[in-house]
Amino acid sequence: MSTSRSIRERIASHLSGEPFTPALFAGLGSRAAIDQTLMRLTKAGTIERIGHGLYVVPKTGRFGIKSMPAAEQVARTVAQAEGAMIQIHGAEAARRLGLSTQMPAQAVFHTTGSSHQIRLGKLIVRLQHVAPRKLALAGRPAGQALSALWYLGRDQVTPNTFRQIAKKLPADEFEALSQAKALMPAWMVQALISYERSEPARV
């Protein structure tokens, strides 16, 4: 089977509206052949290029309006193509945990991969490279909490911050956060230890 046909068949089985990169077609042919096929399919309107090396099968919603993939889907797809970890930005994590009422103006994600900026219509999705230790718990609620703590910073993180997080997270997730002290700066560890000393052990 030709590279072009193999790629077309794989695209046909891919969900409309979900982003993908050329990595989806690994093993189906040379990178040059894959890129050429994707270029032809883009010109034909079969797929749409929404960023550098980033594509989507067009999906039309209600009233014939073309819908774009969610920002988090895009960020995750880009990171996976690089073999990188990803986590929502601390500002959004703090909002989800009730530690802040501020709504982030942009869709920003932290990654251990390279920094990227992708435009989805009027929305800009930004991936910012950060140190791996900041994403050590990425992909789980404890990771969101750690991201929020880094965002809030030394002046805002207190024992009460951990008290609020403990109310939001499942017990096993808070335990995972508590066990990650080696990844935290001294000021964060101090606030966590102060909380633990003031509270009975969680069951």
Side-chain angles (χ1 to χ4, degrees):
M1 186 182 296
S2 69
T3 296
S4 177
R5 183 176 175 183
S6 297
I7 290 175
R8 288 173 183 273
E9 289 190 356
R10 187 158 295 183
I11 287 175
S13 64
H14 193 76
L15 291 176
S16 297
E18 288 197 1
F20 61 88
T21 69
L24 179 66
F25 313 106
L28 299 184
S30 68
R31 181 58 190 265
I34 291 171
D35 287 344
Q36 288 174 2
T37 300
L38 293 177
M39 186 182 300
R40 288 196 296 269
L41 293 175
T42 300
K43 288 182 178 179
T46 304
I47 61 176
E48 184 174 334
R49 184 176 179 272
I50 58 175
H52 179 68
L54 189 64
Y55 303 85
V56 67
V57 178
K59 181 179 181 181
T60 303
R62 295 182 62 188
F63 312 115
I65 299 175
K66 187 182 297 183
S67 60
M68 299 297 285
E72 194 159 347
Q73 279 184 306
V74 170
R76 197 170 303 282
T77 299
V78 172
Q80 287 176 346
E82 293 187 339
M85 294 184 292
I86 193 172
Q87 182 59 272
I88 60 173
H89 190 274
E92 174 62 13
R95 187 189 69 81
R96 293 184 185 184
L97 289 167
L99 301 173
S100 171
T101 58
Q102 184 175 353
M103 179 71 72
Q106 292 186 335
V108 183
F109 301 85
H110 285 160
T111 177
T112 52
S114 57
S115 296
H116 290 273
Q117 182 167 294
I118 304 152
R119 183 179 292 276
L120 297 177
K122 295 182 179 180
L123 176 67
I124 293 178
V125 181
R126 294 174 55 206
L127 279 78
Q128 293 180 341
H129 173 81
V130 297
R133 71 168 181 160
K134 290 189 176 182
L135 281 82
L137 298 172
R140 55 189 298 181
Q144 288 192 18
L146 185 60
S147 182
L149 291 165
W150 277 108
Y151 167 74
L152 292 171
R154 181 196 303 265
D155 294 337
Q156 294 188 62
V157 173
T158 67
N160 189 54
T161 307
F162 283 96
R163 189 169 292 108
Q164 290 177 265
I165 291 174
K167 293 176 181 178
K168 292 284 187 177
L169 295 186
D172 59 335
E173 288 296 319
F174 189 81
E175 177 63 21
L177 178 64
S178 179
Q179 293 300 316
K181 292 185 180 72
L183 305 171
M184 300 177 182
W187 54 266
M188 197 182 293
V189 173
Q190 183 178 4
L192 175 54
I193 290 176
S194 294
Y195 161 76
E196 291 174 336
R197 289 174 175 170
S198 67
E199 294 289 323
R202 300 185 85 198
V203 179

